[in-house]
Amino acid sequence: MGATAVKRNQQKANQEEATNLLTSTQIVIHEALSKLGFSDEMYELLKEPLRMLTVRMPVRMDDGSIKVFTGYRAQHNDAVGPTKGGVRFHPEVDEEEVKALSMWMSLKCGIVNLPYGGGKGGIICDPRTMSMGELERLSRAYVRAISQIVGPTKDIPAPDVYTNSQIMAWMMDEYSHLREYDSPGFITGKPLVLGGSQGREKATAQGVTICIREAAKQKGLELKGARVIVQGFGNAGSFLAKFMHEAGAKVVGISDAYGALYDRKGLDIDYLLDRRDSFGTVTTLFENTITNEELLEMECDILVPAAISNQITAHNAHAIKAPIVVEAANGPTTLEATKILTDRGILLVPDVLASAGGVTVSYFEWVQNNQGYYWTEEEVNEKLEKVLVQAFNNVHQLSQARSIDMRLAAYMIGARRMAEASKFRGWV
Ligand code: GLU
């Protein structure tokens, strides 16, 4: 898409809402690059990933049949360093989504100043219906299929939606077999005994917690007693509910893929954490549930979408009650909704900043793997805290100074570094 097409899309987005993740990402990257004074050539370079590999993988299922799965690996831009980003297993994965997600990874790495560009992978599958054996064979097949373009100094995968440390362990083992030497630095989010880092599992939620705290400070809101709604009870959502509860906030709402729970007196978070399954499902145990859509519009002080994309749109942005929205998921708010929330004076902390805690500790994991010396959880958390507070302040200050929303400010900071690196390398 050229610059004129971007403008056309922008106009179109104003009329009918752009829910296409790639298109909306391109619109904001274009705006960020022009505000930074970069040429349209730079936009041409950064509007899509440099590499996109599509693979088809035959996998033996438990009933003896063969199923052919489709997977992707996108590498957005490697001017700053090797590309980095998770692999999601989900029935709705598609090529454009993986491309957009790889671009967000570049932005995240830029915002928290990691020596990486962005990458992302995905496999179209539903792990909720697969056995451990099938998941293992699929994970190994994926590594064999993408092995030529990945590696500890090329592109480093990690967990994402519906993938976990066990899947990372199989992938690391497969990669080490292929290379014939132990390669813990090939992938992050591993179990501790295989070179994982202390604090990695909780890192995304830690980062979101830091952003919530900083955002609350800006709004003069006391975290103790604040009413919090967390949409999604996966890795980020469940740990976040726990941290908010521990910080003295009142978690009044949570949800999973099947429904939501709301209680204005506060939910029993310890009980819910205890009863959730490994895919984050818990609401099926209750009768008095509401829908995910209804949950977003309930009374609260802090709303955290921590599930999937396009949850806050032009249709419901007017009905959001929270003065602070912190995006723990990737792409939960459309551009039009971003504008509506901002115009209503709601402080929106964008995904590329709020969810950057995961990749930050992934970077720490990779550094520890490379040096073979491991840190304590306190050391990891202390380093994460410094990085995220600095990143929040940089983005918030820029948004204030330029009177722009925090999403555009975050894109400006995130895009600047890869644009400068591409320029120094003589690519543009
Ligand atoms: N999947 C996570 C994200 O979207 C983490 C990526 C990583 O640790 O490399 O940020």
Side-chain angles (χ1 to χ4, degrees):
M1 193 165 46
T4 343
V6 168
K7 275 187 205 120
R8 222 179 17 243
N9 260 328
Q10 176 101 59
Q11 284 157 3
K12 215 173 124 210
N14 292 340
Q15 296 152 8
E16 72 183 71
E17 192 165 24
T19 48
N20 177 302
L21 301 179
L22 183 59
T23 311
S24 1
T25 309
Q26 288 172 330
I27 290 171
V28 191
I29 288 202
H30 186 259
E31 205 179 340
L33 288 172
S34 32
K35 274 209 180 313
L36 290 165
F38 287 104
S39 64
D40 274 349
E41 288 164 346
M42 188 60 83
Y43 173 70
E44 281 301 310
L45 176 73
L46 299 178
K47 71 179 186 183
E48 286 221 15
L50 287 176
R51 266 178 296 280
M52 178 72 187
L53 182 63
T54 303
V55 293
R56 299 186 68 238
M57 300 157 286
V59 174
R60 175 85 57 198
M61 306 305 278
D62 288 348
D63 65 4
S65 65
I66 294 284
K67 195 165 168 190
V68 183
F69 291 89
T70 300
Y72 306 97
R73 185 74 194 168
Q75 298 175 342
H76 175 236
N77 182 281
D78 54 9
V80 173
T83 46
K84 178 93 193 78
V87 183
R88 63 173 55 180
F89 284 10
H90 198 274
E92 268 132 54
V93 161
D94 68 43
E95 192 175 330
E96 287 212 338
E97 182 196 49
V98 175
K99 282 184 182 177
L101 286 161
S102 74
M103 292 160 77
W104 293 339
M105 285 311 304
S106 286
L107 294 163
K108 285 188 207 187
C109 293
I111 291 163
V112 286
N113 208 17
L114 310 180
Y116 295 137
K120 197 78 172 202
I123 301 179
I124 307 171
C125 67
D126 191 349
R128 289 167 296 190
T129 62
M130 295 169 71
S131 71
M132 289 294 271
E134 290 168 345
L135 280 173
E136 175 174 355
R137 292 190 287 280
L138 178 61
S139 304
R140 290 183 184 277
Y142 180 67
V143 170
R144 289 195 298 275
I146 63 165
S147 78
Q148 283 180 342
I149 64 162
V150 290
T153 54
K154 275 185 174 172
D155 180 15
I156 304 122
D160 198 78
V161 175
Y162 290 161
T163 53
N164 56 23
S165 58
Q166 173 61 78
I167 291 176
M168 300 305 110
W170 290 324
M171 289 188 175
M172 190 278 269
D173 185 65
E174 190 66 25
Y175 185 86
S176 298
H177 277 295
L178 286 173
R179 295 287 179 267
E180 298 185 340
Y181 49 81
D182 193 36
S183 311
F186 155 64
I187 203 160
T188 58
K190 300 179 293 293
L192 286 179
V193 285
L194 292 182
S197 175
Q198 296 287 350
R200 173 62 186 87
E201 214 191 348
K202 300 176 188 160
T204 308
Q206 290 277 17
V208 180
T209 304
I210 295 167
C211 287
I212 290 177
R213 204 188 56 212
E214 296 302 308
K217 262 191 225 162
Q218 295 300 333
K219 280 268 181 191
L221 178 83
E222 185 70 49
L223 207 51
K224 209 165 166 14
R227 295 161 307 165
V228 183
I229 289 180
V230 184
Q231 187 205 26
F233 217 46
N235 169 279
S238 61
F239 276 117
L240 182 68
K242 182 171 147 60
F243 295 156
M244 287 293 104
H245 179 60
E246 285 168 1
K250 206 195 289 176
V251 182
V252 290
I254 65 111
S255 77
D256 58 27
Y258 305 94
L261 302 171
Y262 182 86
D263 184 343
R264 60 192 173 79
K265 295 196 287 298
L267 296 163
D268 185 347
I269 293 304
D270 292 329
Y271 176 76
L272 295 172
L273 289 170
D274 188 51
R275 298 303 304 273
R276 79 185 266 284
D277 74 10
S278 58
F279 294 105
T281 305
V282 72
T283 65
T284 44
L285 301 172
F286 296 84
E287 273 169 14
N288 288 334
T289 57
I290 57 171
T291 64
N292 264 282
E293 293 74 33
E294 286 166 336
L295 180 72
L296 296 173
E297 298 178 13
M298 300 303 277
E299 288 287 343
C300 68
D301 301 303
I302 299 162
L303 173 63
V304 185
I308 48 172
S309 56
N310 291 329
Q311 297 299 294
I312 306 179
T313 66
H315 296 293
N316 61 359
H318 289 287
I320 301 293
K321 313 270 186 322
I324 297 174
V325 176
V326 181
E327 299 181 329
N330 287 309
T333 315
T334 63
L335 292 190
E336 204 172 337
T338 301
K339 185 166 181 325
I340 296 170
L341 297 180
T342 310
D343 288 348
R344 291 182 54 211
I346 293 173
L347 182 58
L348 175 67
V349 185
D351 47 6
V352 285
L353 166 63
S355 72
V359 71
T360 303
V361 178
S362 272
Y363 165 62
F364 297 157
E365 180 173 333
W366 179 78
V367 168
Q368 293 170 82
N369 294 150
N370 291 345
Q371 65 184 7
Y373 177 73
Y374 289 83
W375 308 337
T376 62
E377 186 161 357
E378 290 70 43
E379 285 172 295
V380 170
N381 287 341
E382 201 182 299
K383 288 181 168 61
L384 174 65
E385 165 87 21
K386 269 198 198 129
V387 171
L388 257 280
V389 170
Q390 181 72 58
F392 182 96
N393 288 332
N394 291 345
V395 172
H396 189 256
Q397 275 159 19
L398 184 64
S399 89
Q400 298 285 103
R402 304 283 291 256
S403 302
I404 53 177
D405 61 63
M406 279 183 78
R407 188 181 313 284
L408 181 55
Y411 271 56
M412 285 174 70
I413 293 175
R416 180 201 296 266
R417 208 185 49 153
M418 60 182 146
E420 278 177 0
S422 301
K423 218 168 158 186
F424 272 123
R425 282 181 187 263
W427 294 353
V428 171

